[in-house]
Amino acid sequence: MSTESRADDPRSIEASDSTRGYLGADYSIKSWLLTTDHKRIALLYLASITVFFIFGGAAASLVRMELMTPRGDVFNTPDDYNRAFTIHGVFMIFFFLIPSIPAVFGNFLLPIMIGARDLAFPRLNLLSWYVYMAGGLFTMYALVSGGVDTGWTFYTPYSTMFSNTQVIAAAMGIFIVGFSSILTALNFIVTIHTMRAPGMTWLRLPLFVWAHYATSIIIVLGTPVLAITILLVAVERLFQVGIFDPAYGGDPLLFQHLFWFYSHPAVYIMILPGFGVISEIVTAFARKKIFGYTFMAGALLAIAVLGFLVWGHHMFVSSQSMYAGMIFSVLSFLVAVPSGIKVFNWTATLYKGSVSFKTPMLYALGFIGLFTIGGLTGLFLATMAVDVHVHDTYFIVAHFHYVMVGGMLMAYMGGLHFWWPKITGRLYSEFWGALSALTIFIGFNLTFFPQFILGYVGMPRRYYEYPQEYQVLNVMSTAGASILAVGYLMPLIYLPLSLVIGKVAGKNPWGAYGLEWQTSSPPSPHNFEESPIVTGGPYDYELQEFADMHRAVQEHGIV
Amino acid sequence: MWDFPLFPDSASTHAPRVDALYIGLLLVSAAFTFAFAFFVLFFAVKYRRGSRADRSNIKDSSPIAEAFYITVPTLLGIGLFVWGAIVYFDLIAPPGDSVEIYVIGKQWMWKAQHPEGSKEINELHVPVGKPVRLIMTSQDVIHSFFIPDFRVKQDVLPGRYTTMWFLPTKVGRYRLFCTEYCGTEHSRMGGWVTVMEPAEYEAWLEGSSETTGMAAEGAALFRQYHCSGCHGTNSTVKAPPLEGVYGGPVPLLNDPADPQSGVKLIRADERYVRDSILLPKNEVVAGYEPLMPSFAGQIPEEDVLKLIAYIKSIGRGRPTRALDDRGMDPGEGAVTNVTEITGMPQQDNGGNER
Ligand code: HEM
Ligand SMILES: [Cu+2]
């Protein structure tokens, strides 16, 4: 293929790298903390999200170590264990899974991908990071000053009337961080509507942008419901008014409806941006236009809409009406269809492609495998009779880790490796990159696959102690977790190291298509030297003219 | 070391049916997973960069393929849904002749009470080969009653009755768990279900029971809480007599605040009796003033159950079982929770709860 030689083209290491782009524009601390550059804000997020992830991961390791034996030994009391899995869940969900891809990659790439100079509201964007940090520190405070033991789900009336831990403080932290999501989402929606470069029509938007568009809509519609729910919890706890506790005339199920009305769509808030990332990676490393582009974009929107209609599948044994259960069940089966479309189309994209196995692609292939298992086990849970048995057991824990860690987190790691050269201007070690992807894949399966079995034989989740017969599977899971931890530690070393010893990346180290690869690495503060004009679809790899255009960009810095 | 369970024991009539469904799902998922794994790896290797594979005639969409992989999963999904729903119906609809046992969850123990009077904690004795129906409530937070070897689970809520049934098929001891996170001792809130031969079960009941049954204890409580002061035969207060109430249709004011609002009939079940004790203003019997005070917070759940047992014993037998909160009247197929019996003015109660 004629595009083949581009990655190795000596001209790709050239003038733009003599400056350090947006990174080198100013070095003062103030220039970072008061920046309105979407790229710098993305890096602020990257740093803080990484810290919270490590925090949540440390809690996971302790939880997993505790479960190595049937009796309590790591934690002194069951209460400490309960706090640990709550810390783990709260940080992973609200401070990692939900914000991470939009706040880091969305912030960095979305304006560049549509040919804009920044987001529509740069100062609002900075504010959203401060709000995120405020929420995070608040929650951190709540968790170290006594902790919370309700689980990240805060079910009532336990959370409102019975738990004597820092429920209100933790809930307020989550309340605050919700505003950060809303601000970012609004900013994305307005940006996508108003700031597209000339020629960037809706059907020329990269799928990454479509994914963030769909996600932002869910965030804007869903998060306020969570905020209200949390306020109601605080009100009942503080003033003993009967909202959820039947002892005061409240309804114990009301909370679950409100909570899942947000939190089920929230799992799509986590996974849709991941779909966007995977689409970009698969098409770039198959060097082929993504298969079924319009279906891929349509599936994203379909998931966003259907995702609002299935919350009741978390409540099949809660005593909700049988008819409600049936409707939630059938809708849950239907939501699997657009997810299936995505997997089919990624696979079809490989067909007749020119596939290279660089680190981001390894993560993406891992994603396809793990997400498929996570998604298909979702069908077990949508099947009411089977869900009755596996609900609130380790089967659920395995299922959501396959979707959230095997899916979203693999996408996040893939994206991090894919755009790292763009963000920093440096290449990391391919050897260590590939090794980390492989280690994570193996460690992951060893950790979470046994949990499906464990769940079906009956081990309930959130158990500090468990019957002896479940030990072997738990030991396997804990062993896998330590391999997994090693896999996550590697990038923490070789990625920062690449800043010092990494090769200079050049504009387009992967020979990928897309506006972000047409500008320098790292991009200049205003993204493009000249505003781009878009003349083709997002992935026109087959076009001969692409090769020529690419060369023109390399030489003249224009599109 | 390496002998660990891959499958739970199969000890109720539900178990084989749920397992069949589970295995069906496993096969479908395994087929898809292996198909994807195969194609992803096959394409990735065959079309690896630099390979000489044929790449002519590339397509970037195909309406036929897309139609195919929308319809096939949709049909498959609907098929699985129907199968799952059929099994689920039986899971929630008990047969008529069940042994009824009351269960109360509280932080952190399960208390069970047999109608004959025997009580147990974190243990449940049941006869083999007979359907058992549990009528459950919680005294504090939400718990969930789970017997893995029977494939049954049901949340247990404060302020509400939920029910669950199973038909044990094998004598033995089976684990019992709480699966709704309920605080400090959540993981210790479990115990054992013992399935016994019916004769043994009878003997066990004899041996362990206090001589008085639940209904007799309820009768004593009926006087102790001064219920009889109003509902008793000699009372001067105008309150409906309770003989014959349970199981029969009861005429209620459509709108308790408005005596002119018309009347609807409901069937008096356990929920109705419970709510009449704790929330008497919600459902007022036509022709009576809403005079009864609420006993909420004054009568512990166990005593409520005993009062219900007493009122049942003086009711008209058991033509229907309590309608559980899923809105299922097992005896009559699907009807709404509040059973409308006549064409009288009806009130929409949303199809479930209260
Ligand atoms: C090293 C990797 C991990 C291990 C070993 C691990 C382990 C566990 C375990 C054992 C539980 C169950 C606690 C219980 O129910 O008793 C759990 C719950 C959970 N995990 Fe992880 N986890 C890992 C990574 C993650 C990641 C990366 C995320 C999200 C990005 C995550 C999200 C969650 C959530 C949301 C829960 C539910 C917490 C709750 O029940 O309240 N986990 N994890
Ligand atoms: Cu419990």
Side-chain angles (χ1 to χ4, degrees), chain A residues 53 60 63-64 67 81 85 88-89 92-93 96-97 151-152 394 397 400-401 404-405 409 447-448 451 461-463 481 484:
Chain A
F53 178 72
V63 165
R64 212 44 267 172
L67 294 178
Y81 176 85
F85 77 69
H88 172 59
M92 287 306 191
I93 296 272
F96 180 77
L97 289 167
W152 76 280
Y394 263 80
V397 176
F400 70 63
H401 280 91
M404 299 193 310
V405 185
L409 191 57
T447 309
F448 294 108
Q451 294 182 6
R461 72 192 279 205
R462 298 175 171 174
Y463 263 30
L484 191 54

Side-chain angles (χ1 to χ4, degrees), chain A residues 144-221:
Chain A
V144 296
S145 70
V148 190
D149 70 348
T150 58
W152 76 280
T153 48
F154 293 93
Y155 269 21
T156 57
Y158 183 70
S159 63
T160 57
M161 295 301 186
F162 290 87
S163 168
N164 40 30
T165 54
Q166 299 276 29
V167 176
I168 293 183
M172 285 308 122
I174 293 165
F175 181 79
I176 295 170
V177 79
F179 284 97
S180 163
S181 295
I182 296 176
L183 295 182
T184 305
L186 283 173
N187 217 340
F188 284 179
I189 292 176
V190 175
T191 307
I192 295 170
H193 272 274
T194 61
M195 313 252 310
R196 282 169 289 131
M200 180 56 91
T201 60
W202 283 90
L203 289 183
R204 286 178 181 168
L205 287 180
L207 288 173
F208 181 89
V209 177
W210 271 116
H212 279 78
Y213 188 69
T215 308
S216 302
I217 291 174
I218 307 179
I219 291 177
V220 170
L221 295 179

Side-chain angles (χ1 to χ4, degrees), chain A residues 42-43 45-47 49-50 53 96 100-101 104-105 108-109 208 277-278 281 359-360 363 408-424 426-428 436 440 488 490-496 498 510 517:
Chain A
L43 288 195
Y45 268 115
L46 178 62
I49 278 172
T50 307
F53 178 72
F96 180 77
S100 56
I101 293 184
V104 179
F105 305 125
F108 196 97
L109 294 161
F208 181 89
V277 169
I278 296 302
I281 295 178
T359 306
Y363 274 109
M408 185 276 157
L409 191 57
M410 289 297 267
Y412 179 80
M413 297 299 285
L416 190 61
H417 287 84
F418 186 45
W419 286 298
W420 184 262
K422 177 54 59 184
I423 294 173
T424 64
R426 299 291 177 154
L427 289 173
Y428 49 83
S436 76
I440 289 177
Y488 286 128
M490 283 189 228
L492 275 180
I493 298 166
Y494 67 76
L495 285 180
S498 76
W510 316 120
W517 302 109

Side-chain angles (χ1 to χ4, degrees), chain A residues 4 14 36 48 65 116 275 291 295 302 306 351 385 398 403 489 506 530:
Chain A
E4 210 77 314
E14 44 128 26
T36 54
S48 33
M65 266 153 67
F275 287 169
F291 192 83
F295 277 81
L306 282 174
Y351 177 63
V403 174
L489 285 176
E530 278 175 58

Side-chain angles (χ1 to χ4, degrees), chain A residues 457-480:
Chain A
V457 298
M459 176 160 161
R461 72 192 279 205
R462 298 175 171 174
Y463 263 30
Y464 166 66
E465 296 172 336
Y466 55 84
Q468 175 69 46
E469 62 259 34
Y470 300 151
Q471 188 174 8
V472 174
L473 288 162
N474 272 298
V475 168
M476 282 160 84
S477 185
T478 300

Side-chain angles (χ1 to χ4, degrees), chain B residues 143 178 180 182 186 189:
Chain B
H143 301 277
C178 172
E180 184 63 70
C182 58
H186 169 56
M189 183 170 165

